[in-house]
Amino acid sequence: MLALAAERNPADVTTTEIAKAMNVTQGALFRHFPTKEAIRLAVVEWIEAQLMQRLGAAREAAPDALAALEAMFLAHVQFIRAFPGVPHLIFAELQQPEQSPVSQHVQKIMQRYRQALSEVLSSAQAARLIRQDVELASAAVLFLGAIQGLVIQFLLGGASSAVDKQVPGVLQLYLAGLKA
């Protein structure tokens, strides 16, 4: 699903195409997933598990909370580079006019991510690695917004090497705004 979503609008991907990409019959696909929405939900759950695992590992390996923010930022960007269908799928789900279990799960992931960022930011603030007047919820939103901005530039057809070159500058600008 993610490979197909990287190439085109995820809403237009059919279960026939998914089955073909997986080298299974459509019947076999529906034995495991009763609906196309169940497939999308399983993919979103996989995204959550993979992304949160990578973010957690980046956070744990960092020597302090400020380094953890940097490592988490880079881990997220690397995740998107490895799975370019992820932003296509996430953005497509968030644009749906009605709330579905899939879009609700995407929103839950975003809330969980903001919470993890707020915890790291709080630790950085307690260690006086960032300014004491930083509003943590806003800093978490800005962190995600910086990544989303880079992703959107990539999706709009910017040369990936040009976007990749912007990653360190965007990250350093974000961190400079926080530092004590």
Side-chain angles (χ1 to χ4, degrees):
M1 179 78 185
L2 287 177
L4 295 168
E7 298 171 3
R8 52 196 278 238
N9 183 350
D12 295 337
V13 174
T14 66
T15 55
T16 302
E17 293 168 319
I18 295 168
K20 184 178 177 184
M22 295 177 65
N23 292 321
V24 300
T25 66
Q26 196 169 10
L29 182 67
F30 280 118
R31 275 192 288 280
H32 294 283
F33 301 100
T35 64
K36 184 177 175 183
E37 184 170 1
I39 295 169
R40 290 189 346 260
L41 183 58
V43 171
V44 169
E45 288 170 347
W46 179 89
I47 291 168
E48 176 183 26
Q50 293 296 309
L51 179 59
M52 297 312 281
Q53 185 277 326
R54 290 169 190 233
L55 294 173
R59 181 179 177 180
E60 293 301 317
D64 62 45
L66 198 57
L69 284 173
E70 183 173 352
M72 290 170 71
F73 190 97
L74 295 174
H76 190 152
V77 170
Q78 289 167 355
F79 181 73
I80 297 304
R81 298 293 294 140
F83 302 102
V86 168
H88 288 272
L89 184 69
I90 298 298
F91 290 147
E93 289 301 330
L94 292 175
Q95 292 176 15
Q96 295 303 313
E98 62 224 27
Q99 288 285 337
S100 70
V102 179
S103 65
Q104 290 173 347
H105 198 87
V106 168
Q107 291 173 1
K108 181 186 120 196
I109 295 168
M110 297 299 291
Q111 200 285 323
R112 183 176 169 202
Y113 195 159
R114 283 190 302 271
Q115 179 61 39
L117 287 170
S118 292
E119 290 169 7
V120 174
L121 287 159
S122 180
S123 294
Q125 208 170 47
R128 301 209 175 274
L129 297 171
I130 65 173
R131 293 190 339 261
Q132 297 301 302
D133 65 337
V134 170
E135 206 279 306
L136 302 181
S138 296
V141 168
L142 186 57
F143 181 99
L144 290 170
I147 293 171
Q148 290 166 346
L150 289 165
V151 168
I152 287 172
Q153 287 188 32
F154 176 71
L155 294 177
L156 290 175
S160 63
S161 62
V163 175
D164 286 344
K165 289 178 184 175
Q166 292 177 324
V167 169
V170 169
L171 175 59
Q172 291 310 311
L173 187 58
Y174 173 79
L175 294 173
L178 297 175
K179 287 185 182 172

